Amino acid sequence: MPEELNYVDWFRHSSPYINAHRGKTFVILIPGEAQECDHFSSIIHDLALLDSLGIRLVLVQGARPQIDRALAQKHSVSVFENGYRITPQEQLLDIIQASAAVRVQLEAQLSMGLSNTPMAGARLKVCSGNYVIARPLGVVNGIDHGHSGEVRRIDSEAIFRLLEDDNMVLLPHLGFSPTGEVFNLKAEDVAIQAAVQLKADKLIIYSEEEGVFDLEGELYSELVAHDAEIILQNNSLPHFTQVALEACVAAVRQHVPRAHMISYNENGALLRELFTREGAGTMIDEDSYEQLRPAHIDDVGGMMALLAPLEDKGVLVRRSRELLENEVDRFIVIERDGAIVACAALYPFEQENAGELACLAVSPDYRGLNRGDRLLKGIELSAKQQNLSTLFLLTTRTAHWFIERGFSETSLTTLPAKKQALYNYQRNSKIFVKTLR
């Protein structure tokens, strides 16, 4: 029974993400290494699940290890230059054949529908074709790259029609020119351009590692593009992690809202990354123009302007400038172009190992893009750093928002004694609590 309840609890908490992702377009890069991992059948099942939830999928297929083996069998040596495999004419056919074999295998697995498998009853329609228009790299630094190319454009109009007809689209790492030539492309380049030109909501890259780790070995669950670029400059990442992170940064710098790195070696990583708050990899977003940071005294004026309309409506308890100045170290803010557009506060009750979340507010002009969720995540992180085990709040108008994010209603007697003594019975606020994991 406990395991069943854990499943029910997880499913309930995943519902906001299910609703948020429905109808969105995700570009997912599946490198050749992923197709040879122990969990690849589970990855296929997870893709089928995303399709059934109404997510529009564009899969980009890589084939590096398969091409390496095909060329090795012909005693042919691959030469790489600046990350590109040089493709002479005599190797092109072997590369095409290796890529085609991978594509057929992938399409076959996406067609499985046995009654005793997780894909029972799935009716996936998978389409592939000449949707990637390419041009030759040509001669770079005196080196002729042969039939290695770069993406010229993605036939986004044709792909949109397929997606609207509930098709899953498969893009190989091969591109075609208007003159009828075939070019070998970097799968990462195809994925980036597909995400950019399709205006996808996410680019997701399967890689060997879960994501990017700090010097202490802790996984970064989220990085803004600026911080990711600093990490890349240090050039201390494993090769494939470096390549994946470069692709993610390139995508968000071209206005793809989010890019994710997850591991094909971790069973269920895709579902955990998309449907749990903790995730399973590293997410990169383009928020260099916005900063989530601790508040300081110069922010008080902006915070007052942000809180005043909510105080006038009775949503928040009124706070004076003097009180805000005295408690400014309790606040975090989101600053955008010099303006305070969101804020929240954490008041710790150390004796009870509890913290109060208060004053969570987002400017009406800047609602969206999960700013409220970013504030909540920042407060939860701060609470954990202070070794607080629970987070509680009092609210009169926003109960459902917090319920959707894991809070449950509780009684006044569960609050710290000092907070109980200050409870305003006239406001009759509802009380919610969340256990911090």
Side-chain angles (χ1 to χ4, degrees), residues 26-35 40 43 47 57-64 106 169-173 185-192 194-195 202-208 240 243-248 260-264 270:
F26 295 174
V27 174
I28 303 180
L29 171 57
I30 304 176
E33 292 84 357
Q35 296 174 61
F40 190 60
I43 292 174
L47 294 173
L57 298 178
V58 177
L59 308 181
V60 177
Q61 162 224 321
R64 287 192 187 97
L106 183 54
V169 178
L170 177 59
L171 301 180
H173 62 92
L185 312 175
K186 286 177 65 174
E188 290 81 10
D189 290 349
V190 176
I192 294 166
K202 290 183 183 293
L203 168 63
I204 301 171
I205 297 180
Y206 274 102
S207 189
E208 184 176 9
F240 287 115
V243 170
L245 184 58
E246 288 173 349
C248 288
H260 303 254
M261 297 169 58
I262 57 176
S263 174
Y264 52 74
L270 181 61

Side-chain angles (χ1 to χ4, degrees), residues 1 42 259 295:
M1 183 63 71
S42 296

